[in-house]
Amino acid sequence: MRLTTLLTSFAAASLLIATPVLAGDDAKSADGLCTQNHPHRHGHGHRGMRGGMRLERMEHRLDAAVEKGRLSQAQADQFKAELRQLRDETKAQRDAANGQLSDEQRAQFKERARALREKVKAALQATAPATQGT
């Protein structure tokens, strides 16, 4: 008798807790992913758009540098083109290898990305305002 009472109370408590969850939120779709238009969330799950924001952040930084006069628009466009080319090559290699890059390929692409970041950094430092030491 005690087991039946325990199971009944557990079932009732579960339903009470689950009722708001079952009622749902209009912002959630049937598969559980948000369908609202968030500026940085694309509805691809936790790991769906891994490197997408990295490109957008770099482009935003380059645009900000152009606005501040630290880079010319031509330089920024050149860096953006190199960045896109690197991303496209990485994606093509990954697609050709069924989603997995070898350690050597991964290291090569990381080195190229690091070299590109260093090139951007050098271009920004060349036009950085001189600071007065005290």
Side-chain angles (χ1 to χ4, degrees):
M1 186 79 160
R2 289 183 184 176
L3 183 63
T4 307
T5 306
L6 180 67
L7 290 175
T8 306
S9 62
F10 179 77
S14 300
L15 287 174
L16 288 174
I17 293 171
T19 302
V21 174
L22 294 176
D25 190 13
D26 290 342
K28 299 271 184 182
S29 63
D31 58 357
L33 296 176
C34 185
T35 57
Q36 288 181 346
N37 188 14
H38 295 290
H40 298 295
R41 295 184 185 164
H42 302 286
H44 295 280
H46 178 64
R47 296 181 176 216
M49 293 291 287
R50 250 192 165 150
M53 291 305 296
R54 202 172 298 157
L55 176 66
E56 290 176 15
R57 281 195 315 262
M58 178 66 98
E59 287 180 345
H60 179 72
R61 286 186 195 120
L62 290 171
D63 291 338
V66 169
E67 288 176 12
K68 291 178 183 176
R70 296 185 66 193
L71 279 181
S72 69
Q73 186 64 45
Q75 285 176 314
D77 290 341
Q78 179 188 1
F79 289 138
K80 287 179 188 179
E82 288 180 38
L83 190 63
R84 284 191 191 106
Q85 180 184 5
L86 180 62
R87 185 196 58 186
D88 292 342
E89 288 176 14
T90 306
K91 187 176 185 303
Q93 285 284 337
R94 190 177 295 121
D95 289 344
N98 293 327
Q100 286 292 329
L101 292 175
S102 69
D103 290 338
E104 182 180 311
Q105 289 172 324
R106 188 175 295 119
Q108 180 187 10
F109 284 123
K110 282 185 177 184
E111 179 62 28
R112 287 177 59 191
R114 188 193 61 73
L116 179 60
R117 283 193 305 270
E118 289 296 323
K119 194 165 35 168
V120 170
K121 192 180 208 179
L124 288 173
Q125 286 178 348
T127 59
T131 58
Q132 299 287 332
T134 57

